[in-house]
Structure formats: C-alpha cells, structure tokens
Amino acid sequence: MASSDNPEVVERGIKDNDDKNEQEKGGFLDKVKDFIHDIGEKIEGTIGFGKPTADVSEIHIPCFNLKKADIIVDVLVKNPNPVPIPLIDINYLIESDGRKLVSGLIPDTGTIHAHGSETVKIPITLIYDDITNMYDDIEPGNIIPYRIKVDLIVDVPVLGRLTIPLEKTGEIPIPYKPDIDVEKVKFEKFSFEETVAVLHMRLENMNDFDLGLNKLDYEFWMSDISIGCAELAQSQTIAKKGVGYVDIPITFRPKEFGSAMWDMIRGKGTGYTMKGHIDVDTPFGAMKLPITKEGGTTRLKKKKEDRNEDDDDDDDDENGNLK
C-alpha cells in the first residue's frame, strides 16, 4: 500500500509518456524537414537554379592620349538557370599600389538570358590630370600597376540577390609627348627662286616605354613665314628614354625670307616654329601624339653624307660663317 502511494512512481510514468510524445513529435518534424530538403534538392536539380559565374575575359584600351585612357573591361557572365536573371548593379574600382584612381557604379546593366552567357562591357575612363594631381610620385611618362575590382550584383530566383566579386591586374601608361628640336637645315639644292633642303629633326622619347614611329604630319615656319605642311611615312623605333632622328624634306623660296636668310647663310641661325603629330605604336596600343616647338633656332649647313661630320665645327670659319 505504501508503495502504491509513492508519488515517484506516478511521476515517472507521466515523464516517460512525455518523452515518448516529444520523440514522436521530433521524429515527425525531422521527417518533414528531410522531405522538404529532398524536394528542394530535386526541384533545384530538375529546374536548374544555381549561382551564375563570371570572369574578366579581356581588358581593352581602345583610346588613350595625353589626357586620358578609355578602358573597356569585358566580363563573361554565365547563367545556368532556366529563366533570365537581371544584372542589377556593377560596382568598379581601379587602384594602384592600394591607392584609388577611379571608382563608380553602373546601374541596371541588362539581363543574362536563360541557360546562356553574355559578355558585359564595363567602360571606365582614367583622367591623367586627376591622378597626377592626387599623387605626386606619379608623373607623365610613367607606367603604373593597376588592380581592377568589379562587383556584379544579380538577382536569382530562389537564391535572391548575389554579389560576384572579380579582380584583374595589369599596367597602364601615363604618356608624355616627345620633345622635338630641328638641329640643322641641310641643302639639297640652293637658289633664291627655289631651294630644296632637309630638316634634321631630333625626337626625344620621354616615356618609360618604346615608341614605334609610323607617320608624321607637320607644318613648319621659318622667320614667321610658312614653308608648308606635309605627311611623311616613317618606320623606326625610339627606345624608352631614348632619342631618334627624322629627316624631313622641304622646298622653299629663300628670297621671301629677306635678311633672315642671309643670317642663316652666315651661320647666325634663325627662329622657327613647328607643329604637327606623330602616329606611334606602343606596348599598350596606338597613339597620335602632338609635337610642338615654338621659338626654336636653327641654321643652314652644307650636306654631308656622315651625320657625325655635320656635328663638327670644321664647316665654320672663325667668324661662325659657313665655308
């Protein structure tokens, strides 16, 4: 009788029933979760929802000059899903040695087709003045390393918004125009009615990269009188921080120069101005660079076969006149 009145026996029986109910309930919920998970995996496997992938396929520099560089970043995006996915935003950043050069956001850049791929082009412009004004150690003529960081933000059904980060490194130039100087004017044929001469022009490449000279167009003045303009095909490479020479044929009428021509003949030299452009190839693409020289001074020299002999003073007498 005492044992039947023991409350511990009654309480233990109730606890066992509760544990059993909890186990049954837990087992049911686990089964439901497993069922939902299995169904989800089967739906995902059947319908094909998944994360899109992306990669920087190429970087172009279609145009760069003394002021800016236009950069196009090609990003190949692949969509494994059975429905199109919108490309919501593109965030980009270009930095050099951890310092920001330019950044921006491109909103609503289109849609990636179902089970397809698209090349998304990201246009970026680097303004050289902005860079050199921000960082004193970056100067015209330099080649600087860069890192491009791109975040693609897409909206995928079931998965929601996703961010795909991308990076690419490389080098980009900050070009500097060549320094020019017309060292001498050499006679081919001389008369006061018509003179044929050759301008011996010196080009100094101020850049940390080679310049492949292809073409030169110019306009030339002597004593404020325009001799004319022309285009000249050239083919030579001016090494980085190096010097190249170009011979430019000209024809002019000396009698139009008055006393300035007599000064040139006597070896005193005369002022000249030259403006034009050169078309060059670089390791980063083609460029059209301006060439300008104002207020220069040159003198006439008799033609010699050896350019080094022209540099001697043997042609001049003690008064500086041509012999």
Side-chain angles (χ1 to χ4, degrees), residues 206-270:
M206 313 291 285
N207 296 283
D208 287 331
F209 51 89
D210 296 349
L211 296 179
L213 178 60
N214 295 321
K215 190 175 71 171
L216 164 72
D217 65 80
Y218 68 91
E219 187 169 5
F220 192 77
W221 293 264
M222 290 176 63
S223 300
D224 297 325
I225 298 174
S226 177
I227 291 179
C229 55
E231 286 190 4
L232 187 65
Q234 292 286 333
S235 180
Q236 66 171 285
T237 298
I238 307 175
K240 62 180 182 180
K241 302 296 185 182
V243 175
Y245 294 90
V246 178
D247 289 335
I248 302 175
I250 58 170
T251 301
F252 60 96
R253 294 163 60 88
K255 67 179 185 179
E256 296 177 354
F257 288 81
S259 61
M261 178 55 62
W262 293 110
D263 289 339
M264 293 170 65
I265 293 174
R266 295 170 58 193
K268 292 185 176 180
T270 188

Side-chain angles (χ1 to χ4, degrees), residues 98-118:
R99 300 176 298 184
K100 185 179 81 170
L101 302 181
V102 65
S103 63
L105 181 144
I106 305 174
D108 190 19
T109 51
T111 300
I112 312 301
H113 297 298
H115 293 305
S117 61
E118 300 283 342

